[in-house]
Amino acid sequence: MKKDIRKDIFTIIAVTVAAFLMALNTKTFVNTGGLYPGGMTGMSILIQRAVKQLAGIMLPFSIINITLNIIPVYIGFRFIGKKFTAFSCVMILLNSFFTDLIPNHIITQDVLLISIFGGMINGVAISLCLNRGATSGGTDFISIYLSENVILGFNAVILCVAGFMFGWDKALYSIIFQYASTTVLHMLYKKFQQSTLLIVTNKPKEIADAIYAVSQHGATILDGEGSYEHCERQIVYSVVSAAQTKKVIHAVKEADPKAFINEVKTQKLSGRFYLPKES
C-alpha cells in the first residue's frame, strides 16, 4: 500500500514537471516559430491562431485544449484504464493552465533551431509522462485504443490546414519539430520496443519460470551443443519488452549465475505478444 502511494506521488510529480516543460516549450519555441505540435496540443494552437486571425479574439488555450480532450478522456476511462486516465487528466489540466499563465518569451528566432530543440523538449515531456503511466492526453488515448495510423492522418490534417492558413514554411518546419519529438520519444520510451534474449544455461526450466514471473512472457527451450567441450547445453529463447529487460536479466542471473545471455534488439515482431493493459 505504501509502495503504491509512493509510486502515485512520484507520478504526480513527473506529470507536473512534464506539464510545465510542455507549456514552457509552447510559450517559447512553438509560439516563436509559429509551429504546430502533433495531437490535441497542435489542434488547440491551430484553433487559437485561426480564431485570432479571423475574428480578432484570442481564446484561452486552456478552454480549447480541455474541450478537445473530453472525448479522448472518455475513451481512456471507458476502454484503457481509470488510474492511467486520471493521471493523464492531471497532465491535461496542468499543461492547459500553465500555457495560459506563462508569458511568451523569445529564446531564438532561428526557426530550424526552434524546430529541432523544441521537438526534442516536447519528446522529453511526453516520455516523462508515458514512463510514469500517463499521457499528454488527446490523441495518445486514441493511438492506444485504435491505431497510430489514425494519429498520423490527424496530424497531417493539422499541418495541411496550418499550411493553407499561415504559410507552408510553418507547416514544413512543424514536420521537423514532430520528427525530432518522435525520435526522442522512441529513444526514451521503451514499452513498445522489444528485446530478444538468447540464454545458454543448464537450468532452462528455472530460467523460463523466472522470465515469466517478471514479464509474463513465455520462452522456448532449444537443445544445443557446446563447440569447445562438446557437452549438451540448453538455449532459452524469449522476446520481452525492452522496458523489462534489466529486470528479466537480473532474474535470470539469480536463477543461474553462470548463464550466458545475449540480448538483441528486435527490429520487427509478428504474432501474439503480450502487452499489459494500463491500470
Side-chain angles (χ1 to χ4, degrees):
M1 187 68 177
K2 288 183 178 180
K3 186 177 180 181
D4 291 338
I5 294 174
R6 192 183 311 118
K7 181 181 178 181
D8 290 345
I9 291 172
F10 280 123
T11 300
I12 292 173
I13 292 172
V15 165
T16 302
V17 172
F20 180 80
L21 194 60
M22 186 173 287
L24 185 64
N25 191 38
T26 299
K27 299 308 287 280
T28 52
F29 289 115
V30 173
N31 283 355
T32 302
L35 304 181
Y36 299 89
M40 290 303 180
T41 299
M43 177 61 78
S44 300
I45 293 172
L46 177 60
I47 292 173
Q48 191 180 42
R49 292 173 183 171
V51 171
K52 183 180 180 181
Q53 178 170 297
L54 298 174
I57 301 172
M58 190 65 175
L59 295 176
F61 176 85
S62 55
I63 292 177
I64 303 171
N65 195 47
I66 292 172
T67 301
L68 290 178
N69 274 285
I70 290 175
I71 294 178
V73 164
Y74 169 77
I75 292 173
F77 274 117
R78 181 73 175 80
F79 300 105
I80 300 175
K82 291 181 171 57
K83 181 180 284 190
F84 176 80
T85 306
F87 286 131
S88 301
C89 286
V90 174
M91 171 67 183
I92 293 167
L93 292 172
L94 289 178
N95 177 40
S96 299
F97 292 128
F98 282 152
T99 302
D100 283 336
L101 291 173
I102 298 173
N104 286 315
H105 181 72
I106 298 175
I107 295 177
T108 176
Q109 292 183 320
D110 188 315
V111 186
L112 182 57
L113 289 177
I114 288 172
S115 302
I116 295 172
F117 287 98
M120 291 172 65
I121 294 171
N122 192 65
V124 169
I126 296 174
S127 301
L128 191 57
C129 280
L130 291 173
N131 283 318
R132 294 303 309 181
T135 74
S136 57
T139 53
D140 289 346
F141 290 119
I142 299 172
S143 66
I144 292 171
Y145 180 61
L146 295 176
S147 168
E148 290 187 1
N149 293 330
V150 176
I151 308 310
L152 289 174
F154 181 82
N155 289 338
V157 171
I158 293 176
L159 293 178
C160 288
V161 174
F164 180 77
M165 293 189 66
F166 302 104
W168 291 105
D169 58 331
K170 304 300 183 185
L172 294 175
Y173 276 119
S174 295
I175 294 176
I176 298 175
F177 178 98
Q178 293 184 19
Y179 178 79
S181 178
T182 303
T183 301
V184 171
L185 178 59
H186 286 171
M187 288 175 58
L188 298 180
Y189 183 57
K190 297 183 178 181
K191 180 177 179 179
F192 295 105
Q193 299 176 26
Q194 292 85 36
S195 292
T196 298
L197 297 177
L198 294 167
I199 305 162
V200 181
T201 179
N202 288 324
K203 299 179 179 180
K205 188 178 185 309
E206 291 86 342
I207 285 180
D209 291 342
I211 291 173
Y212 186 81
V214 173
S215 67
Q216 294 189 338
H217 289 294
T220 300
I221 299 174
L222 308 171
D223 290 327
E225 179 181 326
S227 63
Y228 182 72
E229 296 180 347
H230 297 286
C231 55
E232 291 185 359
R233 291 283 188 271
Q234 279 72 47
I235 300 171
V236 179
Y237 166 84
S238 183
V239 180
V240 301
S241 169
Q244 299 174 318
T245 304
K246 288 185 179 179
K247 290 182 179 180
V248 171
I249 291 176
H250 179 73
V252 168
K253 285 294 186 182
E254 285 189 336
D256 181 7
K258 296 182 179 180
F260 179 83
I261 305 170
N262 181 23
E263 177 190 349
V264 182
K265 183 177 180 181
T266 304
Q267 296 296 325
K268 189 176 181 180
L269 192 64
S270 177
R272 293 192 303 170
F273 182 79
Y274 171 77
L275 282 174
K277 292 184 178 181
E278 304 293 348
S279 59

